Amino acid sequence: TPSCSWCTKLKNYFKEKNIRYRDVDVSRDQRKMDDLARKSGQTGVPQTEIGGEMVIGFDKAKINRLLNINQGE
């Protein structure tokens, strides 16, 4: 959502690491929010799907693990 500071941090992190992503604003599309809640069991944002696995919040360690990003990079 546009007002979510953690969403902004997540997008900035992806940009910093040159990771392509698709931004879905669930505040503008109830159907997409329903899909997200069904997939993850959660309605909070941000949520990121990586390789079929859901990441709730800006869980940098899990994102790094799923994308094989070394902490030292």
Side-chain angles (χ1 to χ4, degrees):
T1 63
S3 61
C4 168
S5 64
W6 288 108
C7 297
T8 301
K9 288 177 193 215
L10 176 63
K11 289 185 270 188
N12 287 339
Y13 183 67
F14 284 160
K15 287 174 190 171
E16 172 189 319
K17 297 294 185 181
N18 294 314
I19 297 167
R20 290 181 31 201
Y21 64 93
R22 183 170 51 104
D23 186 11
V24 177
D25 182 357
V26 294
S27 71
R28 294 175 173 253
D29 189 330
Q30 184 61 47
R31 189 177 53 114
K32 290 192 181 190
M33 174 56 95
D34 294 342
D35 290 344
L36 188 68
R38 189 173 53 256
K39 266 187 187 179
S40 69
Q42 310 250 346
T43 58
V45 292
Q47 293 190 36
T48 309
E49 184 175 7
I50 301 172
E53 191 165 339
M54 295 303 293
V55 179
I56 309 301
F58 181 31
D59 185 341
K60 195 174 188 180
K62 186 172 184 178
I63 291 167
N64 287 346
R65 180 176 54 79
L66 291 172
L67 295 175
N68 295 314
I69 297 172
N70 293 325
Q71 292 290 7
E73 287 183 13

